[in-house]
Amino acid sequence: NAGVMQNPRHLVRRRGQEARLRCSPMKGHSHVYWYRQLPEEGLKFMVYLQKENIIDESGMPKERFSAEFPKEGPSILRIQQVVRGDSAAYFCASSPGAANSPLHFGNGTRLTVT
Amino acid sequence: LAKTTQPISMDSYEGQEVNITCSHNNIATNDYITWYQQFPSQGPRFIIQGYKTKVTNEVASLFIPADRKSSTLSLPRVSLSDTAVYYCLVGDIASGGSYIPTFGRGTSLIVHP
């Protein structure tokens, strides 16, 4: 049973380009969370999605950032017109959504904006 | 939303038992207590979860007093590979959109030889 898969593992973008981060949840999981982590800091919640629906995007910047979790395929976190401050590790976690179910995390995408 | 407080850092030596305490004074009736471990350049990994009293698995034990306002993660006989950041979270993921698993700064545990 494969775990949460994130790709790419490392992504380098120049300022102004777009970054697309992919997350395939564990089999049977329909809930996806995206977090951002800066060096020496904890994980900051960005967005919570269920299949085809955004449940909570309160942690995501209003501009340039968007997320989706289509009926088929991985969840995508998209950052348009990246800036240096977007450089961070982005982690995705999935859950079946049942009571007490812990999150299962991928190993993240490390985005570097040059 | 229950807030957690845990020490920023701890040091230990190989073979010792390590106890990390987390305070969660306003924990709700339906909230569970969950601990995660994170190594550098990796995503957090679930360690243990409990609601009350004591829970034990092959990795750790979790002690929760009757009032549930705190919990203690116990790591028996730590090794160098236990050096990591440990996060304590409270909540119930089944609450749906009303609960977002929130990670604080965690406790950075360093195990020395």
Side-chain angles (χ1 to χ4, degrees):
Chain A
N1 186 15
V4 177
M5 304 299 293
Q6 289 190 249
N7 66 81
R9 192 83 167 87
H10 300 275
L11 182 61
V12 180
R13 285 287 178 265
R14 290 191 177 139
R15 280 179 298 172
Q17 291 184 319
E18 177 181 287
R20 293 172 72 90
L21 288 61
R22 294 175 183 77
C23 169
S24 295
M26 285 186 69
K27 186 177 181 180
H29 287 192
S30 58
H31 297 237
V32 166
Y33 300 77
W34 284 93
Y35 291 84
R36 176 165 63 178
Q37 186 173 38
L38 296 171
E40 309 301 323
E41 293 189 11
L43 288 85
K44 301 297 184 187
F45 165 75
M46 298 183 73
V47 60
Y48 165 37
L49 311 101
Q50 294 180 25
K51 280 289 186 180
E52 301 184 272
N53 291 305
I54 295 175
I55 306 303
D56 188 323
E57 55 182 347
S58 60
M60 199 157 67
K62 294 288 187 292
E63 298 180 353
R64 303 188 299 108
F65 286 73
S66 63
E68 63 177 9
F69 188 16
K71 186 177 180 180
E72 301 291 338
S75 175
I76 305 288
L77 179 67
R78 182 182 177 202
I79 311 173
Q80 295 177 293
Q81 300 174 336
V82 296
V83 300
R84 288 235 172 97
D86 296 332
S87 295
Y90 292 83
F91 291 98
C92 163
S94 74
S95 162
N100 321 334
S101 51
L103 299 181
H104 295 260
F105 281 84
N107 279 329
T109 293
R110 191 164 303 278
L111 172 66
T112 302
V113 180
T114 61
Chain B
L1 189 65
K3 182 181 175 181
T4 61
T5 302
Q6 51 184 125
I8 293 175
S9 63
M10 294 182 70
D11 288 86
S12 184
Y13 292 89
E14 284 189 291
Q16 290 188 332
E17 178 184 79
V18 171
N19 295 308
I20 306 174
T21 297
C22 179
S23 297
H24 27 80
N25 291 317
N26 58 340
I27 188 170
T29 303
N30 294 332
D31 286 347
Y32 283 78
I33 301 158
T34 309
W35 285 80
Y36 293 85
Q37 173 192 56
Q38 185 180 25
F39 297 115
S41 301
Q42 293 186 25
R45 181 177 73 107
F46 168 78
I47 301 177
I48 197 167
Q49 182 182 70
Y51 183 80
K52 61 180 180 181
T53 64
K54 177 184 174 182
V55 180
T56 297
N57 61 23
E58 63 277 6
V59 176
S61 294
L62 180 60
F63 298 92
I64 305 168
D67 65 6
R68 304 200 328 122
K69 293 184 183 300
S70 67
S71 58
T72 298
L73 175 73
S74 181
L75 305 172
R77 298 180 296 283
V78 294
S79 63
L80 296 178
S81 62
D82 291 315
T83 294
V85 178
Y86 293 82
Y87 298 95
C88 163
L89 281 73
V90 297
D92 180 8
I93 203 165
S95 298
S98 64
Y99 169 60
I100 299 297
T102 301
F103 291 77
R105 294 288 298 270
T107 297
S108 177
L109 172 66
I110 298 176
V111 179
H112 303 275

